[in-house]
């Protein structure tokens, strides 16, 4: 059974700092990996998608990497801003017939202090 | 497009009562997913539909839970009878693919007392 772990569970940084969020998964047979953002009382917003054949994806100040063989992904946020404060969730989809099934980590609660 | 619309936003009910959660997916999205989020277990897939047909309901916790999608623009998740351990945030999501491009609704926070 796939398990996704995110470390740290919570992180507080001063504005402007570069930071890294970590995600690990136990079964390397994945179809893709996604990073989501969740604001309090809101749904999830997709940030980045990495297909299993890719190593990284970039969007603005965000960069996500994937090392499928070791079961790890990182989300790098450059020059953090107070508006980046949210919970960040990592999710992997299974391979083969279960590629629709996303398994989520429990998230990292990020607070960026002005 | 207004996105995925869920109702109600909050629901407080007494144990034993029937609860119905509603979802309107984005027009043109063929896939609809129901997820449940709790502090203990995080986000879990309950059931998903493709073209209004339930494909995988293995995540539905018990027979007390049922989901329907009578047409492409509406789905319901029903709990009957409800129990305190059903308290959670229930999310609906839709997509034009099975495994990415999801749009999530804002969720329904259910409290069973």
């Amino acid at each position: 059974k796939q398990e996704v772990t995110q470390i740290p569970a919570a992180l507080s940084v001063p504005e402007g700092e570069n930071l890294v969020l970590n995600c690990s998964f136990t079964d390397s047979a994945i179809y893709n990996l996604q990073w989501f953002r969740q604001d309090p009382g809101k749904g999830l917003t997709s940030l980045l998608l990495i297909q299993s054949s890719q190593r990284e994806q970039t969007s603005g100040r965000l960069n996500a990497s994937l090392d499928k063989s070791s079961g790890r992904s990182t989300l790098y946020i450059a020059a953090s801003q107070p508006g980046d404060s949210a919970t960040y969730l990592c999710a992997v989809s299974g391979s083969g017939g279960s590629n629709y099934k996303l398994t989520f980590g429990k998230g990292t609660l990020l607070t960026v202090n002005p | 497009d207004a996105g995925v619309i869920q109702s109600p936003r909050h629901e407080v009910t007494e144990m034993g009562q029937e609860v119905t959660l509603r979802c309107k997916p984005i027009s043109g999205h063929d896939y609809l997913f129901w997820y449940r989020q709790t502090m203990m277990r995080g986000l879990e897939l309950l059931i998903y539909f493709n073209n209004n047909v339930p494909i995988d309901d293995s995540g539905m916790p018990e027979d007390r839970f049922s989901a329907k999608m009578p047409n492409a623009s509406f789905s319901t998740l029903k709990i009957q009878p409800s129990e305190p351990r059903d308290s959670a945030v229930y999310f609906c999501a839709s997509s034009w693919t099975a495994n990415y491009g999801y749009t999530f609704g804002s969720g329904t926070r259910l409290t069973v007392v």
Side-chain angles (χ1 to χ4, degrees):
Chain A
K1 177 188 171 188
Q2 179 74 272
E3 292 183 3
V4 179
T5 302
Q6 291 188 244
I7 294 174
L11 180 65
S12 181
V13 300
E15 182 177 4
E17 193 161 294
N18 302 325
L19 58 100
V20 174
L21 307 182
N22 296 292
C23 171
S24 62
F25 46 95
T26 54
D27 185 351
S28 62
I30 63 170
Y31 187 79
N32 63 38
L33 181 143
Q34 301 180 60
W35 284 92
F36 292 86
R37 169 183 173 139
Q38 185 175 24
D39 293 285
K42 300 286 181 63
L44 280 67
T45 301
S46 180
L47 296 174
L48 288 165
L49 165 74
I50 309 178
Q51 299 288 3
S52 61
S53 58
Q54 297 176 319
R55 294 292 297 225
E56 66 177 332
Q57 282 288 336
T58 298
S59 176
R61 295 181 293 109
L62 305 181
N63 176 275
S65 68
L66 172 63
D67 184 342
K68 198 173 78 161
S69 60
S70 68
R72 295 180 185 275
S73 175
T74 61
L75 179 66
Y76 174 83
I77 303 177
S80 58
Q81 303 171 358
D84 295 331
S85 298
T87 297
Y88 290 81
L89 294 139
C90 165
V92 296
S93 64
S95 59
S98 64
N99 63 8
Y100 58 86
K101 186 172 285 188
L102 293 184
T103 302
F104 284 84
K106 291 186 179 178
T108 294
L109 175 61
L110 173 66
T111 302
V112 180
N113 301 300
Chain B
D1 199 323
V4 175
I5 300 173
Q6 291 188 246
S7 63
R9 288 297 311 275
H10 303 275
E11 176 81 36
V12 180
T13 190
E14 292 185 347
M15 183 174 63
Q17 295 298 305
E18 177 180 295
V19 175
T20 299
L21 311 182
R22 296 172 176 80
C23 175
K24 176 178 168 54
I26 290 177
S27 177
H29 281 188
D30 294 331
Y31 295 85
L32 184 138
F33 306 83
W34 282 100
Y35 281 87
R36 177 171 70 173
Q37 185 176 39
T38 61
M39 290 291 291
M40 286 290 292
R41 301 171 67 92
L43 268 161
E44 301 173 290
L45 177 66
L46 300 177
I47 185 170
Y48 99 96
F49 295 83
N50 181 21
N51 291 322
N52 313 337
V53 176
I55 303 300
D56 185 348
D57 65 355
S58 60
M60 297 285 261
E62 298 171 36
D63 291 344
R64 299 183 295 106
F65 286 69
S66 62
K68 294 183 179 179
M69 192 164 185
N71 57 61
S73 58
F74 184 65
S75 177
T76 59
L77 178 67
K78 187 174 293 186
I79 308 173
Q80 165 64 16
S82 57
E83 297 182 4
R85 60 193 167 121
D86 301 331
S87 297
V89 181
Y90 291 80
F91 287 101
C92 175
S94 71
S95 177
W96 56 276
T97 71
N99 46 51
Y100 64 90
Y102 287 58
T103 299
F104 279 78
S106 297
T108 294
R109 180 173 295 277
L110 173 65
T111 304
V112 183
V113 298

